[in-house]
Amino acid sequence: MLDEVFAACRDDTSGAPADYIPELAAVAPDSFGLCLATADGLVYEVGDTEIGFTIQSISKPFTYALALADRGLDGVAEHIDVEPSGEPFNEISLQPQTQRPSNPMINSGAITAASLIAGRDTSEKFERVRRCYSRFAGRELRMDESVYDSEARTGYRNRAIGYMLRSVDIIDVDPDDAVDRYFRQCSIEVTCHDLAMMAATLADNGVNPRTRERALSTSLTERVLSVMTTCGMYNAAGDWVTTVGLPAKSGVGGGIIAVLPGQLGIAVYSPRLDPQGNSVRGVSACRELSRRLELHFCHVTRSARTAIRAEYTVAQLPSRLRRSPEDSAVLAEHGERARVYELHGDLLFAGAERAVRAIEGNGTELDALVIDLRRVGEVSTVARDMLEGLQAELVREGTRVALVDPDARLGHEVSSLDPHDPRGRVFIDRDTATEWCEDIVLDRHRPADTSTRTSITLDEHPLLASLGTEERDLLCADFQQRTLARGEVIADRGDPRSGLYLILDGRVRMTFPGTDGRVHRLVTLSAGMSFGEIPMLIGKPFMNAIIADTRVRVAVMSPERFDSLAESHPRLKLALLERLAAAAYAQMDATVRTISGNAGNY
Amino acid sequence: MLDEVFAACRDDTSGAPADYIPELAAVAPDSFGLCLATADGLVYEVGDTEIGFTIQSISKPFTYALALADRGLDGVAEHIDVEPSGEPFNEISLQPQTQRPSNPMINSGAITAASLIAGRDTSEKFERVRRCYSRFAGRELRMDESVYDSEARTGYRNRAIGYMLRSVDIIDVDPDDAVDRYFRQCSIEVTCHDLAMMAATLADNGVNPRTRERALSTSLTERVLSVMTTCGMYNAAGDWVTTVGLPAKSGVGGGIIAVLPGQLGIAVYSPRLDPQGNSVRGVSACRELSRRLELHFCHVTRSARTAIRAEYTVAQLPSRLRRSPEDSAVLAEHGERARVYELHGDLLFAGAERAVRAIEGNGTELDALVIDLRRVGEVSTVARDMLEGLQAELVREGTRVALVDPDARLGHEVSSLDPHDPRGRVFIDRDTATEWCEDIVLDRHRPADTSTRTSITLDEHPLLASLGTEERDLLCADFQQRTLARGEVIADRGDPRSGLYLILDGRVRMTFPGTDGRVHRLVTLSAGMSFGEIPMLIGKPFMNAIIADTRVRVAVMSPERFDSLAESHPRLKLALLERLAAAAYAQMDATVRTISGNAGNY
């Protein structure tokens, strides 16, 4: 596409290079380079992108940026306005009302900006300018001495502007020094490739995407881009905004930069200029790129529409903690009182408003809710405030709130244990947050007479409880009881079958390695449940690791005893097998239901 | 937040209402209304949002919009420029070079726009203007006769502008008629609420978010917003762009509208004006809202960074077609040669560039790939072109491409069967696309001597094949063979156990209802596999529906026979049970692996 745009613009040889000094007129007039740099630093380029030329007026936004960093927004605003002037760039005039240069993109404003640069002496001041530009470009830039000499010899009009500015105290230092610095900055040599990186740095919030060095703060970058939008293309600004719609700056050296904030930078070099002083091919290439790539800033995206990615109750998508039949029944009945909201995209105001509105809509009827922020990109300050306001409101009305926010996007470095703390609980994964919600629902809705015993005896275990007394006693004798410490690995992935385990007290976790390289919980089991039966039944190794989540008491039947049972009591083994198959099936089914519940994925 | 901004701005009672006609001076000077309308049509409001006042200059972008719709961009451009003027709004002057009004937001440009409205006669022309505004507002707007009468009596300066425009042929109709229409349009009565809806319509690509009626095309909306950006706030445009950063328009009636394209519209009403003619509280409220809500158009989002949501091979996340052991082995070895890319967010240029770059990066080493577009929002024309270019390139190099694009976002209304058609195959779900990829990998990498038989006899079925001859013959006699038509429901969700089914030929599909209300495929089974064993083992109803995907031949053992087997041949039943448990386990495990493979979800 860049090649096509290049070819479409190349044939236009109208206009002529600047010739007010011989050094500028000496360029190859039909040079033409075109670069597009993405905000992550990849440069697409075609043509003469490595020819050096002087930056000229494209220096203005960068010196303005350094002046803003040195003096602050207000300090600079006392000297330079930000209004488009509608006048030629080298007009010797000030804004009628304010008596200040209209903006920093015309010569009077740019010379004023040069006068505001900090430094012990004139050489340090210019060195700071040069280093600033170099940070934007990502390499050391140098001045073209012959262009500077020529500018310095002949720049009478700019000297006149300097003295005029000094006469009205807009410049409060030696005007010759400010003008000289302006000549020097205009004479810095760049390539089209450099300019594209400088533009990409503006696009990337002031950070050079290759070196990752910060050249300018985010808020000042926003200001520089604003001024480029209205004032960057001299008196063709309106036409530029309507047909290109990108903050931009051109220079009489033949360069143009244009920036799509957050996304990319464009640079063009072609020295033939139109009557406004903008590169002829530069303007048409930018216009064509904007049209083809739909870069205009008023081109609408709809990211605000989809801030909520998914929404479901804990009854629809339970945690991976396998509950007792009693608790499962309570959650089936009341699980709609706890809800999970997965957000995604960038949370700027409009997206956050949509999300908060939806959550508020049924939030007050809930016992608890989870807001999952893991897929969220940028969170703006206002979105953070809105979510915190929502949490505080919900907590006041009795709804507990958990965040899934492993990267502390909302700035909660620690989780709060206080249930009335509006900051709520913060978890690093959704499953644990869901389990926390289920616990709240169970606390509030479990019938008063329900047993919450977490410990059973072997003959109470459901696998044996329904057998006849004689058979049960026979089997009980085959089990040995063992106690395991918290964190103990009972079986690792790939271990051979080691027994049939019945849980009598505590919790165990089954884990599996995800495609993301992390270990995930498949399910957590507690008293009355069993594990190890599938390796035992089919003779294959453990597929998942089994780890004691707490101190655990289990009863184990050895593989040898299990095998010999078929010989001695085939019918008893058949009964056991049927119960094991049912238990294994119920567990697998619960797992499938948990994992596939979010069926929107399929 | 709106309340806070309202309270912060209310105390400023500087400035005074316009008083050039008595009707404007007669308003309650301290009225103050503030509305924020989202691009989906919800209006947040505080204060005097239902007081009527005349729209005045806020009419200008809307008449300009209608002129653009009537005459086209070029037809209007012959009469009106789009350059900020830097001059007062009622200047009697034209752009020096072009001899046209600088832009449609100053009176000369607005009167010219009014002259360009189509219609048989003057009354139809104004009626079209009134209807256009009403479409933007979403209700019938009316003119305030007394304000119109007063404007028409005293508007000498605007008449002068009209005659001046006629004298240089910028207006080519009766200038009195154009000026009269301009007076009428300025006298249309609106409320702050109306203005917020008009702004939200501009934000929503020209569609009124409440009525869903189109008031203006998307491309003309973009143009109107561009001109508002540079010219909407008279000669405070630069300050407005830097501190508010939203396309806007103000009127001497005391109204201001501001638009964040794609996201929201803001309207303020407060009649005290500053020296530039903009509402004092209106400007400060917009500035405060922009600051607090971070609405500035140069405020950067990073949506481009995350165009690829997930990426994996078909070995990592297979389709739900359960393959034979031989085919599974081929896919385990060569499955990394087929890859799925899930995209999300809006696909504008930068996001598409990122996605195409990543896919291209390893695309040419692949046999096939899937691009899943279901989570993508807006797809720009350039992104569509880029994806089509990528497909064409990949197909040329031998990589087959499938799209998952149920909503035809890339504009493929039908799928192509031609493997060399660069448009590729289009599926409505990812699972089928993944299965198609697996088939390609199998075709290319299956060893030449591998059997691809899809039909077996009963005694070849794996469940029986490993038994001794005597036992197998005994069991075979207990099975009855049946043939099922394609689409036949073999078991429905909730059906009681109806038999143990061994598949001898064809395919069956197990489905489950998702939380999204649609039916999803859990798994597809083929010859050599079995189903119905779990209801049989545990005596519970079918959890999933089982449907014949093709014509299917099965062998069935009835529940009665299965039960009685325990009595007559307990050891045979034990052997069968162990094999069934192993088969059931393998199937569940494959399902869990398929479903949880995309572990990044957890």
Side-chain angles (χ1 to χ4, degrees):
Chain A
M1 193 170 291
L2 217 54
D3 288 340
E4 286 171 21
V5 170
F6 185 85
C9 299
R10 190 177 38 199
D11 294 342
D12 186 349
T13 54
S14 65
D19 58 1
Y20 64 91
I21 54 171
E23 286 74 10
L24 285 180
V27 297
D30 292 318
S31 305
F32 185 20
L34 183 51
C35 288
L36 186 154
T38 65
D40 64 348
L42 187 77
V43 179
Y44 292 92
E45 51 195 312
V46 52
D48 305 317
T49 58
E50 295 298 344
I51 289 184
F53 56 96
T54 51
I55 190 170
Q56 299 295 344
S57 289
I58 304 174
S59 66
K60 290 168 176 171
F62 300 99
T63 294
Y64 177 58
L66 185 57
L68 289 171
D70 285 352
R71 304 291 184 118
L73 283 175
D74 293 340
V76 172
E78 288 168 16
H79 297 265
I80 314 169
D81 287 341
V82 290
E83 295 304 322
S85 71
E87 293 179 350
F89 65 93
N90 57 359
E91 199 66 16
I92 308 185
S93 72
L94 301 170
Q95 280 272 87
Q97 288 122 338
T98 64
Q99 290 297 308
R100 287 189 285 260
S102 301
N103 66 67
M105 302 297 137
I106 59 174
N107 290 14
S108 58
I111 292 168
T112 305
S115 80
L116 296 172
I117 300 304
R120 272 170 315 191
D121 54 32
T122 188
S123 91
E124 184 182 287
K125 287 178 184 177
F126 175 66
E127 179 59 13
R128 292 188 65 247
V129 169
R130 190 194 63 78
R131 280 206 207 123
C132 169
Y133 294 14
S134 300
R135 274 194 297 275
F136 273 96
R139 74 168 183 104
E140 288 297 316
L141 301 177
R142 302 269 159 230
M143 196 178 79
D144 180 323
E145 295 283 348
S146 66
V147 171
Y148 163 70
D149 288 343
S150 192
E151 298 261 16
R153 256 196 326 274
T154 61
Y156 305 116
R157 190 172 179 98
N158 285 324
R159 281 186 207 283
I161 291 173
Y163 281 100
M164 183 268 295
L165 292 167
R166 182 69 189 82
S167 74
V168 293
D169 288 328
I170 288 294
I171 290 185
D172 46 20
V173 295
D174 175 8
D176 278 329
D177 180 56
V179 173
D180 182 66
R181 188 148 51 255
Y182 176 69
F183 289 149
R184 286 176 185 272
Q185 76 181 46
C186 288
S187 305
I188 283 180
E189 190 180 86
V190 291
T191 65
C192 188
H193 190 280
D194 291 329
L195 288 180
M197 286 310 300
M198 294 174 87
T201 302
L202 287 172
D204 196 22
N205 277 320
V207 174
N208 183 301
R210 294 305 274 272
T211 67
R212 304 309 302 155
E213 193 175 5
R214 180 167 286 287
L216 189 64
S217 75
T218 300
S219 63
L220 295 182
T221 303
E222 198 172 305
R223 164 61 61 109
V224 170
L225 289 170
S226 296
V227 176
M228 288 167 67
T229 304
T230 44
C231 313
M233 298 302 285
Y234 308 131
N235 40 2
D239 183 52
W240 182 268
V241 170
T242 50
T243 62
V244 182
L246 296 172
K249 189 70 200 85
S250 72
V252 292
I256 294 184
I257 62 169
V259 178
L260 182 58
Q263 308 209 0
L264 54 86
I266 292 169
V268 196
Y269 169 60
S270 178
R272 292 187 191 271
L273 308 181
D274 66 19
Q276 281 85 37
N278 299 321
S279 164
V280 172
R281 287 166 172 167
V283 170
S284 54
C286 287
R287 199 170 284 174
E288 194 58 20
L289 278 175
S290 174
R291 190 183 68 75
R292 289 182 181 227
L293 305 183
E294 299 172 1
L295 305 180
H296 195 290
F297 76 95
C298 290
H299 187 80
V300 164
T301 76
R302 286 205 184 69
S303 47
R305 310 232 153 158
T306 51
I308 293 187
R309 180 179 171 263
E311 171 188 349
Y312 41 82
T313 69
V314 301
Q316 290 173 303
L317 190 47
S319 79
R320 294 186 182 181
L321 171 62
R322 223 185 120 209
R323 305 281 180 176
S324 69
E326 297 78 22
D327 282 355
S328 295
V330 174
L331 288 174
E333 188 181 346
H334 299 283
E336 87 284 358
R337 297 187 57 84
R339 208 168 252 278
V340 178
Y341 296 88
E342 292 180 40
L343 309 189
H344 70 157
D346 286 324
L347 275 190
L348 306 187
F349 168 70
E353 187 271 339
R354 211 70 63 102
V356 166
R357 198 200 306 169
I359 296 172
E360 232 172 4
N362 43 23
T364 57
E365 292 160 21
L366 299 181
D367 290 325
L369 61 83
V370 174
I371 302 174
D372 182 352
L373 295 158
R374 283 169 310 155
R375 292 189 176 280
V376 163
E378 193 191 7
V379 179
S380 64
T381 314
V382 61
R384 184 191 285 201
D385 290 348
M386 290 169 76
L387 285 172
E388 285 185 356
L390 173 71
Q391 281 177 267
E393 179 195 329
L394 291 171
V395 167
R396 266 197 309 278
E397 300 186 8
T399 304
R400 308 278 303 273
V401 179
L403 301 173
V404 183
D405 188 13
D407 303 323
R409 293 245 162 83
L410 289 201
H412 301 202
E413 298 298 339
V414 294
S415 182
S416 169
L417 289 172
D418 171 6
H420 301 293
D421 187 327
R423 290 173 307 168
R425 296 294 299 269
V426 184
F427 295 93
I428 62 161
D429 68 291
R430 188 173 67 223
D431 192 36
T432 318
T434 304
E435 186 182 320
W436 176 82
C437 278
E438 290 171 345
D439 286 340
I440 292 169
V441 172
L442 288 171
D443 280 350
R444 297 192 183 179
H445 302 283
R446 202 186 265 130
D449 58 347
T450 307
S451 154
T452 54
R453 273 179 61 196
T454 58
S455 176
I456 56 173
T457 61
L458 178 57
D459 56 359
E460 289 172 329
H461 194 285
L463 205 66
L464 308 180
S466 62
L467 293 172
T469 315
E470 193 182 337
E471 286 178 311
R472 186 168 60 231
D473 290 347
L474 199 68
L475 268 182
C476 276
D478 288 330
F479 281 90
Q480 287 195 311
Q481 299 210 14
R482 267 161 57 188
T483 299
L484 303 157
R486 179 170 177 216
E488 192 168 330
V489 177
I490 307 169
D492 217 339
R493 189 176 149 84
D495 279 357
R497 61 180 200 151
S498 57
L500 167 63
Y501 296 79
L502 310 188
I503 307 174
L504 305 180
D505 193 12
R507 289 180 173 183
V508 305
R509 186 172 72 233
M510 296 176 67
T511 66
F512 68 98
T515 51
D516 58 357
R518 289 165 51 207
V519 169
H520 297 266
R521 163 162 90 158
L522 188 66
V523 67
T524 296
L525 304 174
S526 56
M529 302 171 193
S530 57
F531 60 91
E533 65 272 56
I534 290 167
M536 199 75 101
L537 281 170
I538 66 174
K540 286 194 180 165
F542 279 88
M543 288 290 289
N544 306 297
I546 317 266
I547 295 148
D549 236 10
T550 61
R551 188 166 170 280
V552 173
R553 195 158 48 83
V554 293
V556 194
M557 178 188 282
S558 70
E560 298 70 33
R561 189 69 206 97
F562 185 84
D563 289 343
S564 65
L565 199 62
E567 298 306 317
S568 57
H569 302 89
R571 270 173 229 280
L572 182 54
K573 177 152 187 187
L574 203 55
L576 182 64
L577 216 51
E578 279 170 352
R579 281 168 180 74
L580 280 177
Y585 171 70
Q587 177 184 314
M588 286 296 257
D589 182 60
T591 305
V592 169
R593 199 161 68 93
T594 304
I595 296 176
S596 69
N598 193 356
N601 285 338
Y602 286 89
Chain B
M1 192 168 293
L2 217 54
D3 289 340
E4 286 171 21
V5 170
F6 185 83
C9 299
R10 191 177 37 198
D11 294 342
D12 187 348
T13 54
S14 65
D19 58 1
Y20 64 91
I21 55 171
E23 286 73 12
L24 284 181
V27 297
D30 292 318
S31 304
F32 185 21
L34 184 51
C35 288
L36 187 154
T38 64
D40 64 348
L42 186 77
V43 179
Y44 292 92
E45 50 194 314
V46 52
D48 306 316
T49 58
E50 294 299 344
I51 290 184
F53 55 95
T54 50
I55 190 168
Q56 299 295 344
S57 288
I58 304 174
S59 66
K60 289 168 177 171
F62 299 99
T63 294
Y64 178 57
L66 185 57
L68 289 171
D70 285 352
R71 303 293 183 116
L73 283 174
D74 293 341
V76 172
E78 288 167 15
H79 297 265
I80 315 170
D81 287 341
V82 289
E83 294 303 322
S85 71
E87 292 179 351
F89 64 93
N90 57 359
E91 200 65 15
I92 308 185
S93 73
L94 301 170
Q95 281 270 89
Q97 287 123 337
T98 64
Q99 291 296 309
R100 289 190 285 259
S102 300
N103 66 68
M105 303 296 138
I106 58 175
N107 291 13
S108 57
I111 291 167
T112 305
S115 81
L116 297 172
I117 300 304
R120 273 168 314 190
D121 54 33
T122 187
S123 92
E124 184 181 285
K125 287 178 185 177
F126 175 67
E127 179 58 13
R128 291 189 65 247
V129 169
R130 192 194 62 77
R131 280 207 207 123
C132 169
Y133 293 14
S134 300
R135 274 194 297 275
F136 273 97
R139 74 170 183 102
E140 287 298 316
L141 301 177
R142 302 270 159 231
M143 196 178 78
D144 179 325
E145 294 283 348
S146 66
V147 171
Y148 163 68
D149 287 344
S150 191
E151 299 259 16
R153 257 196 326 273
T154 61
Y156 305 117
R157 190 173 178 97
N158 285 323
R159 281 186 209 284
I161 291 172
Y163 281 101
M164 184 269 294
L165 292 167
R166 182 70 189 82
S167 74
V168 293
D169 289 328
I170 289 295
I171 291 184
D172 47 20
V173 296
D174 176 8
D176 279 328
D177 179 55
V179 173
D180 182 66
R181 189 149 52 254
Y182 176 68
F183 290 148
R184 286 177 184 272
Q185 77 181 47
C186 287
S187 304
I188 284 182
E189 191 180 85
V190 291
T191 65
C192 187
H193 190 280
D194 290 330
L195 287 181
M197 287 308 301
M198 295 173 86
T201 302
L202 287 172
D204 196 21
N205 277 321
V207 174
N208 183 300
R210 294 303 274 273
T211 65
R212 306 307 304 156
E213 193 176 6
R214 181 167 286 285
L216 189 65
S217 76
T218 300
S219 64
L220 294 183
T221 304
E222 198 172 306
R223 165 59 63 109
V224 171
L225 289 170
S226 296
V227 176
M228 288 168 68
T229 303
T230 43
C231 313
M233 299 301 286
Y234 307 132
N235 40 1
D239 184 52
W240 182 269
V241 170
T242 50
T243 63
V244 182
L246 296 172
K249 188 72 199 83
S250 71
V252 293
I256 295 183
I257 61 170
V259 179
L260 182 59
Q263 309 209 0
L264 53 88
I266 291 170
V268 196
Y269 169 59
S270 178
R272 293 187 190 270
L273 307 181
D274 65 18
Q276 281 85 37
N278 298 320
S279 165
V280 172
R281 286 166 173 166
V283 170
S284 54
C286 287
R287 200 170 284 175
E288 193 58 19
L289 278 174
S290 174
R291 191 183 65 76
R292 288 182 182 228
L293 305 184
E294 299 173 357
L295 306 180
H296 195 290
F297 77 93
C298 289
H299 187 81
V300 163
T301 76
R302 288 208 181 66
S303 47
R305 312 232 152 158
T306 50
I308 294 187
R309 179 179 172 264
E311 171 187 350
Y312 39 84
T313 68
V314 302
Q316 290 173 301
L317 190 47
S319 79
R320 294 186 182 182
L321 171 62
R322 224 185 120 207
R323 304 281 180 175
S324 69
E326 296 76 22
D327 281 356
S328 296
V330 174
L331 288 174
E333 187 182 346
H334 299 283
E336 88 284 0
R337 296 188 58 84
R339 208 168 253 276
V340 179
Y341 296 87
E342 293 181 38
L343 308 189
H344 70 158
D346 286 324
L347 274 191
L348 307 186
F349 168 70
E353 188 270 339
R354 210 71 62 101
V356 166
R357 199 201 306 168
I359 297 171
E360 231 173 5
N362 44 22
T364 54
E365 292 160 20
L366 299 179
D367 291 326
L369 61 85
V370 174
I371 302 174
D372 182 350
L373 295 158
R374 284 168 311 154
R375 292 188 176 279
V376 163
E378 193 190 8
V379 179
S380 64
T381 313
V382 62
R384 185 192 283 201
D385 290 348
M386 288 168 77
L387 285 171
E388 286 185 356
L390 173 71
Q391 281 177 268
E393 179 195 328
L394 290 170
V395 166
R396 266 196 310 276
E397 300 186 9
T399 303
R400 308 278 303 272
V401 179
L403 299 173
V404 184
D405 188 14
D407 303 323
R409 292 246 163 81
L410 289 200
H412 302 203
E413 299 298 339
V414 296
S415 183
S416 169
L417 289 172
D418 172 4
H420 301 294
D421 187 327
R423 291 173 308 167
R425 295 294 298 269
V426 183
F427 295 94
I428 62 161
D429 68 290
R430 189 174 66 223
D431 192 37
T432 319
T434 304
E435 186 181 321
W436 176 82
C437 277
E438 289 171 345
D439 286 340
I440 292 168
V441 172
L442 288 171
D443 279 352
R444 296 192 184 178
H445 302 283
R446 201 186 264 129
D449 57 348
T450 307
S451 154
T452 53
R453 274 180 61 198
T454 58
S455 175
I456 56 173
T457 61
L458 178 56
D459 57 0
E460 288 171 329
H461 194 284
L463 205 64
L464 307 182
S466 62
L467 294 171
T469 315
E470 194 182 334
E471 287 178 311
R472 185 168 63 232
D473 290 347
L474 199 66
L475 267 182
C476 277
D478 288 330
F479 281 90
Q480 288 196 310
Q481 298 210 15
R482 270 162 53 189
T483 298
L484 304 157
R486 178 170 177 215
E488 193 167 330
V489 177
I490 307 169
D492 217 338
R493 189 175 149 83
D495 279 359
R497 61 184 199 146
S498 57
L500 167 64
Y501 296 79
L502 311 187
I503 306 174
L504 305 179
D505 193 12
R507 288 180 175 183
V508 304
R509 186 172 72 232
M510 296 175 67
T511 65
F512 68 99
T515 50
D516 60 355
R518 288 164 51 207
V519 169
H520 297 266
R521 163 163 89 157
L522 188 66
V523 66
T524 296
L525 305 174
S526 56
M529 300 171 195
S530 56
F531 60 92
E533 63 273 55
I534 289 167
M536 197 75 101
L537 281 171
I538 66 174
K540 286 194 178 165
F542 279 88
M543 288 289 290
N544 307 297
I546 317 266
I547 295 148
D549 235 12
T550 61
R551 188 166 169 282
V552 173
R553 193 158 50 79
V554 292
V556 194
M557 178 188 283
S558 71
E560 298 71 33
R561 190 69 206 96
F562 185 82
D563 290 341
S564 66
L565 199 60
E567 298 305 318
S568 58
H569 303 88
R571 272 174 226 280
L572 181 54
K573 179 153 184 188
L574 203 55
L576 182 63
L577 215 51
E578 281 172 350
R579 281 169 179 72
L580 280 177
Y585 172 71
Q587 177 182 314
M588 287 294 259
D589 181 61
T591 305
V592 169
R593 199 160 69 92
T594 304
I595 295 176
S596 68
N598 194 354
N601 285 339
Y602 287 88

